[in-house]
Amino acid sequence: VVAYLAMIPVIAPTPEYRTRISGYRTGFYLVGYILGALIGALLQIEELVFTVVVTLSFFMVLGFYIAAFGVKEPKEIPELPKFGMIEALKVTFKNKPFLPYISFTIFATAFQSMLIAALPDFGLHVIFHGDTEQKISSFIPGAFVITGIIAVVPAMIWINKIGKKRATLYSLLGAAIITPFLLTVGLIPGFELIQTLFIVLLLGFPAAPLLILPDAIISDITDYDEIVTGTRREAMHFASQGVLTRFAG
């Protein structure tokens, strides 16, 4: 996965193009989330387990190989400074833009993971008051994901128009303003589900840029790192990001 993500700064030489590539990846990621939920439902049917697993494996391998063979790397790579693992990590964390970036990414990942994980229980206990027969609560995160898919293309255009820094600040502010409204669910009795879906749908709009921005920003950081170190180290930055954000979600 690290090699796959590290392709972004290679195939997208400009900041604007990187936002587009990251945006398209985010859109397909969200579509995959919905497909994953549907596949999970199909796996509950014993007769379909083998067919679903084989089909899923085929398309997963196909998707990665399309990406791999679609990128042409230079045949002759110039001799560049080499780092050991420990030295490479030290240099990565000495990269001044990397530290504030990774802090933002950890908190953004934590917000999205906690929201998606909490929504089904929120629906079960707040909307349906513990009625376990109400299976619809498990589909509430789908509203968040669907809005994210709809908002991906406008978010790409918006980010390129106002810049990544301002887009990050405005998106975080939007999420911080909208999320507390979940506490108001139930103030109008009988409309808890409608209130929840409305708020979750709104949350998808600031969430879409927050999903797009991390990979686009870290691709720009690798350019700065090249100026400082004299070498391209996309894989180290994406690997460090992957390890650290696992603690958040």
Side-chain angles (χ1 to χ4, degrees), residues 73-235:
E73 294 184 297
K75 295 181 179 180
E76 296 183 5
I77 301 176
E79 189 68 26
L80 297 171
K82 295 181 180 180
F83 300 94
M85 178 61 71
I86 302 300
E87 183 62 25
L89 284 171
K90 288 181 179 179
V91 172
T92 299
F93 285 94
K94 286 181 180 178
N95 185 330
K96 292 182 180 179
F98 182 73
L99 291 179
Y101 158 78
I102 201 65
S103 300
F104 143 70
T105 305
I106 288 172
F107 284 108
T109 302
F111 163 73
Q112 292 159 9
S113 300
M114 288 189 292
L115 181 67
I116 290 176
L119 282 175
D121 283 337
F122 180 88
L124 179 63
H125 295 289
V126 177
I127 301 175
F128 300 113
H129 309 291
D131 183 0
T132 55
E133 297 300 318
Q134 295 288 349
K135 303 295 185 182
I136 193 172
S137 63
S138 61
F139 294 97
I140 292 175
F144 175 76
V145 174
I146 289 171
T147 308
I149 295 172
I150 295 171
V152 161
V153 172
M156 289 159 44
I157 297 170
W158 179 63
I159 291 168
N160 280 334
K161 183 175 181 179
I162 70 170
K164 295 184 180 73
K165 180 179 179 180
R166 291 172 64 190
T168 300
L169 296 174
Y170 293 157
S171 298
L172 289 171
L173 179 62
I177 291 172
I178 296 171
T179 303
F181 279 95
L182 286 170
L183 298 174
T184 67
V185 172
L187 294 181
I188 306 175
F191 294 92
E192 290 90 347
L193 179 59
I194 295 174
Q195 294 173 59
T196 301
L197 289 176
F198 179 73
I199 295 168
V200 170
L201 286 168
L202 286 180
L203 271 173
F205 289 101
L210 293 176
L211 287 170
I212 295 170
L213 284 160
D215 290 342
I217 292 174
I218 202 170
S219 298
D220 295 341
I221 290 174
T222 59
D223 290 344
Y224 175 81
D225 185 76
E226 182 181 19
I227 296 172
V228 175
T229 65
T231 185
R232 297 290 300 183
R233 302 185 318 116
E234 294 94 342

